[in-house]
């Protein structure tokens, strides 16, 4: 099993692309049918666990996927059909036990009703698992859309503030901090050649 982040998703078409954790691989195509057992639809930023599958055209798609932290919903189609069949069996038994009713007519009614429920359930299943027709233009358009930036990476950017007495390179901890000080804090003495780059001997070389 592999793990990655859903970086693009087309809810109307029902497909998107996963960026693997390795970081070196190309984004992997995923279709909604690989996630039909999940309790909700995927959204950009979800962590996806998946298997790879090589397609005849040389492309790779994700199969047997799941959304990290989202519940798996069991297939209720079969149980719903069986429950309906059991419920419809009760009146047919009463009808069969009635002296004035015909056993053949009761069996025919039961078969027709069971077939109707089965066909309805199958049609609903087809709608749930229908694969939309994808064109090369759709896939190319999705591949060229920029990835959503990682919010955690933005939050990890260093934050500085001017502190009294911090004017020399020996007071700094990094090039970023020295650059912040010469651009925002008065009285700094870290750019001897006035080229706009501070602490060239210590950090910003």
């Amino acid at each position: 099993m592999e793990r990655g982040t859903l970086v693009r998703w087309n809810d109307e078409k029902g497909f998107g692309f996963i960026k693997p954790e390795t970081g070196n691989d190309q984004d992997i195509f995923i279709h909604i049918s690989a996630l039909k057992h999940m309790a909700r639809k995927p959204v950009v930023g979800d962590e996806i666990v998946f298997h790879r599958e090589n397609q005849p055209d040389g492309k790779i798609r994700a199969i047997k996927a799941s959304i990290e932290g989202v519940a798996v919903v069991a297939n209720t189609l079969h149980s719903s059909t069986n429950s309906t069949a059991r419920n419809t069996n009760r009146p047919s038994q009463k009808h069969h036990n009635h002296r004035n009713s015909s056993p053949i007519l009761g069996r025919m009614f039961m078969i027709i009703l069971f077939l109707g429920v089965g066909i309805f359930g199958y049609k609903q299943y087809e709608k749930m698992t229908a694969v939309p027709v994808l064109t090369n233009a759709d896939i190319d358009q999705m591949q060229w859309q920029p990835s959503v930036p990682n919010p955690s990476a933005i939050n990890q950017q260093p934050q500085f503030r001017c502190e009294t007495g911090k004017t020399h390179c020996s007071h700094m901890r990094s090039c970023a901090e020295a650059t912040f000080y010469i651009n925002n804090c008065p009285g700094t003495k870290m750019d001897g050649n006035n080229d706009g780059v501070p602490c060239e001997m210590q950090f910003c070389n």
Side-chain angles (χ1 to χ4, degrees), residues 6 14 18 40 54 58-59 98 135 149 152 154 169 180 197 199 204:
L6 187 67
I18 302 170
R40 66 166 174 80
N54 293 322
K59 296 182 179 180
H98 198 279
T135 65
S152 61
I154 297 175
C169 291
F180 172 84
V197 180
C199 303
C204 306

Side-chain angles (χ1 to χ4, degrees), residues 18-35:
I18 302 170
K19 186 173 186 60
E21 279 188 345
T22 55
N24 297 326
D25 292 344
Q26 63 178 354
D27 294 351
I28 297 176
F29 176 87
I30 184 171
H31 187 263
I32 187 63
S33 59
L35 298 166

Side-chain angles (χ1 to χ4, degrees), residues 26 53-61:
Q26 63 178 354
E53 181 181 77
N54 293 322
Q55 301 298 296
D57 58 358
K59 296 182 179 180
I60 302 174
R61 72 181 294 165

Side-chain angles (χ1 to χ4, degrees), residues 125-146:
Y125 177 77
E126 280 187 330
K127 291 180 180 180
M128 293 173 58
T129 59
V131 178
V133 178
L134 305 179
T135 65
N136 290 332
D138 291 328
I139 296 177
D140 291 341
Q141 182 181 4
M142 289 291 293
Q143 288 177 333
W144 285 106
Q145 289 181 0

Side-chain angles (χ1 to χ4, degrees), residues 19-179:
K19 186 173 186 60
E21 279 188 345
T22 55
N24 297 326
D25 292 344
Q26 63 178 354
D27 294 351
I28 297 176
F29 176 87
I30 184 171
H31 187 263
I32 187 63
S33 59
L35 298 166
K36 62 185 178 182
H37 55 284
M38 303 308 299
R40 66 166 174 80
K41 292 182 178 180
V43 294
V44 171
D46 279 343
E47 293 293 322
I48 307 295
V49 179
F50 62 96
H51 285 286
R52 294 185 182 216
E53 181 181 77
N54 293 322
Q55 301 298 296
D57 58 358
K59 296 182 179 180
I60 302 174
R61 72 181 294 165
I63 61 171
K64 298 180 181 178
S66 61
I67 305 173
E68 189 75 10
V70 177
V72 176
V73 179
N75 186 359
T76 58
L77 176 62
H78 182 69
S79 60
S80 175
T81 303
N82 289 340
S83 176
T84 306
R86 287 195 298 269
N87 292 336
T88 55
N89 188 36
R90 293 175 183 175
S92 65
Q93 289 179 347
K94 293 180 181 180
H95 184 71
H96 176 74
N97 293 332
H98 198 279
R99 293 182 179 179
N100 297 328
S101 63
S102 171
I104 297 177
L105 183 62
R107 283 195 294 268
M108 289 180 62
F109 174 77
M110 181 177 175
I111 291 172
I112 293 172
L113 185 59
F114 181 79
L115 288 175
V117 172
I119 293 172
F120 174 77
Y122 181 73
K123 293 295 185 182
Q124 294 299 315
Y125 177 77
E126 280 187 330
K127 291 180 180 180
M128 293 173 58
T129 59
V131 178
V133 178
L134 305 179
T135 65
N136 290 332
D138 291 328
I139 296 177
D140 291 341
Q141 182 181 4
M142 289 291 293
Q143 288 177 333
W144 285 106
Q145 289 181 0
S147 301
V148 176
N150 188 353
S152 61
I154 297 175
N155 294 333
Q156 291 174 1
Q157 292 181 356
Q159 301 295 325
F160 307 108
R161 61 187 179 86
C162 296
E163 297 180 24
T164 304
K166 295 181 70 172
T167 58
H168 293 80
C169 291
S170 59
H171 300 149
M172 302 294 112
R173 293 186 295 270
S174 65
C175 178
E177 185 177 17
T179 302

